[in-house]
Amino acid sequence: MPHALTRSLDRSATLFLIVVAACGVLIPLSNLLLPAGSLFQVPTYLVALFGKYACYAVLALSIDLIWGYCGILSLGHGAFFALGGYAMGMYLMRQIGTRGVYGNPILPDFMVFLNYPKLPWYWHGFDMFWFAALMVVLVPGLLAFCFGWLAFRSRVTGVYLSIITQAMTYALLLAFFRNDFGFGGNNGLTDFKDILGFNVQADGTRAALFALSCLAIVIAFLICRAVVTSKLGKVLIAVRDAESRTRFLGYRVESYKLFVFTLSACMAGVAGALYVPQVGIINPSEFAPGNSIEAVIWVAVGGRGTLIGAALGAVVVNYAKTYFTSGPLAPYWLFMLGAMFILVTLLLPKGIVGTFNSWWEPLKANRLTANTEGAVAEDGVSEPHMAE
């Protein structure tokens, strides 16, 4: 496995991992060790903001894995992100204990307010971190497996698959809005206190969560690279480009699509779990179809089928969202987002990284050719010519 991961990395991928790892180390150290007001000190609010961007980058990687390399356009991947967030939120709510408003050692505040007689059965076990971490991966993965098994066996593809993924996340949105569903209704889960015994609002905890988010980017990127550069990845690309021909060659296309779709959902769930303690809340709005569509735009802007571009697009678009939604242009952000997507589609159809690669590769090839010809000329060796 280590050999497969090393073999899957090229120069750009290695540089990307070095930059992410450096950010995961230097930014927390800058926040914790340097005095406030220092030129190089990163404020706590920026650490939390960058942590959100890192979680979004993991979500973008999960979408690029299925869309960029397998041709599965999911407009409901925010559902897996939110389910992972709810699993972590349930653990954080169980850690509050008697420090809640009503002081109930077992029931969260919203359950006391709604007169729940006892803790619902599906909340049991979430007082243990290992169980919550397992559910972060298992719940989104199980939903993706069941959904994908039904959809792919029925050979639902293209825009029809996109529509039913959007319907799935909208159905979950309506379900989680209900107070009797047991997840806080419209208000969701909030007022978190501790995570693994550490104050979730402390600077050190926020710095550690940011470092973990950067580590999640590294791990998710390595997994995606290992998949797409393997024989499995070649089959996925064949499915993307010519699904019918791949099936006629004897490959079980549904099995390949189901595997990568489930893997992608598990990655999205991990991203959601890291997102919740950093923002301090999880509510049904995370299931909104618009969030899933926005995540697809991140991938399109950065470069579909590049992985690095997906993570870069998530950071760029969300930084633009943070910048423009805090000023006089805030009411027009959605129009700007739509215009960005249209302009990228028309002018940069391969995204930022894809367009850069399409410009750089010919220049690199020409330079290598020139160097080869120069070396041949210096050695006095020429290519043999065909007899006329």
Side-chain angles (χ1 to χ4, degrees):
M1 187 64 179
H3 176 67
L5 292 176
T6 305
R7 186 178 55 191
S8 68
L9 298 179
D10 54 16
R11 183 178 300 177
S12 59
T14 303
L15 179 61
F16 171 76
L17 293 177
I18 291 174
V19 170
V20 173
C23 290
V25 173
L26 296 179
I27 290 179
L29 291 179
S30 170
N31 173 256
L32 297 175
L33 299 182
L34 297 181
S38 174
L39 179 62
F40 298 102
Q41 200 261 353
V42 180
T44 301
Y45 79 92
L46 282 182
V47 174
L49 185 63
F50 294 157
K52 285 176 54 179
Y53 294 167
C55 296
Y56 290 148
V58 177
L59 175 60
L61 285 170
S62 70
I63 295 175
D64 194 28
L65 177 63
I66 59 171
W67 185 34
Y69 291 93
C70 196
I72 303 173
L73 177 56
S74 172
L75 297 182
H77 239 56
F80 307 123
F81 180 85
L83 287 174
Y86 265 97
M88 179 56 64
M90 292 167 72
Y91 163 77
L92 295 173
M93 292 297 290
R94 293 296 307 274
Q95 299 305 301
I96 295 175
T98 57
R99 291 172 294 175
V101 175
Y102 297 99
N104 192 300
I106 302 297
L107 299 180
D109 285 339
F110 74 89
M111 290 188 183
V112 178
F113 178 77
L114 295 174
N115 297 319
Y116 273 66
K118 61 180 181 179
L119 193 72
W121 64 267
Y122 45 85
W123 275 77
H124 291 287
F126 280 94
D127 55 334
M128 299 176 287
F129 180 80
W130 69 266
F131 182 83
L134 180 62
M135 292 299 107
V136 162
V137 178
L138 184 61
V139 173
L142 183 60
L143 175 62
F145 180 84
C146 296
F147 176 86
W149 190 82
L150 294 172
F152 299 141
R153 280 178 61 89
S154 302
R155 298 192 180 181
V156 180
T157 58
V159 66
Y160 302 103
L161 180 65
S162 301
I163 291 173
I164 62 174
T165 56
Q166 197 170 37
M168 174 191 68
T169 188
Y170 188 69
L172 288 171
L173 169 69
L174 297 178
F176 275 77
F177 260 120
R178 297 172 58 91
N179 285 327
D180 58 357
F181 206 59
F183 294 102
N186 182 42
N187 295 323
L189 309 178
T190 186
D191 195 29
F192 307 134
K193 306 295 185 184
D194 296 335
I195 179 170
L196 291 175
F198 297 96
N199 184 359
V200 77
Q201 300 293 334
D203 292 350
T205 306
R206 290 188 177 275
L209 288 171
F210 171 77
L212 285 175
S213 300
C214 291
L215 178 62
I217 294 178
V218 172
I219 295 175
F221 183 84
L222 289 174
I223 292 174
C224 292
R225 286 286 300 187
V227 169
V228 301
T229 56
S230 65
K231 294 181 179 180
L232 169 62
K234 307 305 180 187
V235 177
L236 294 179
I237 294 174
V239 171
R240 179 196 66 187
D241 295 339
E243 181 174 338
S244 298
R245 294 184 180 183
T246 307
R247 182 177 288 108
F248 292 154
L249 288 174
Y251 290 97
R252 299 190 64 179
V253 171
E254 294 78 13
S255 299
Y256 287 94
K257 295 171 73 172
L258 181 60
F259 169 77
V260 74
F261 189 72
T262 305
L263 175 62
S264 175
C266 293
M267 291 169 54
V270 172
L274 291 170
Y275 173 83
V276 168
Q278 298 187 78
V279 300
I281 188 173
I282 178 70
N283 58 36
S285 64
E286 297 296 337
F287 287 100
N291 292 346
S292 299
I293 296 173
E294 189 173 329
V296 171
I297 294 177
W298 305 340
V299 179
V301 170
R304 171 189 170 194
T306 60
L307 294 181
I308 296 176
L312 178 64
V315 174
V316 169
V317 175
N318 281 285
Y319 174 78
K321 182 178 182 179
T322 302
Y323 181 80
F324 288 111
T325 54
S326 59
L329 296 176
Y332 309 103
W333 162 246
L334 290 179
F335 297 100
M336 298 173 62
L337 181 64
M340 180 189 302
F341 182 65
I342 293 172
L343 291 175
V344 167
T345 303
L346 295 177
L347 303 179
L348 301 174
K350 297 181 180 179
I352 297 173
V353 173
T355 302
F356 174 80
N357 289 338
S358 64
W359 291 345
W360 172 251
E361 291 300 329
L363 294 177
K364 182 179 178 180
N366 292 335
R367 186 174 63 181
L368 290 175
T369 302
N371 292 338
T372 303
E373 293 177 350
V376 169
E378 291 179 0
D379 294 339
V381 179
S382 60
E383 294 291 333
H385 297 282
M386 298 292 295
E388 298 183 1

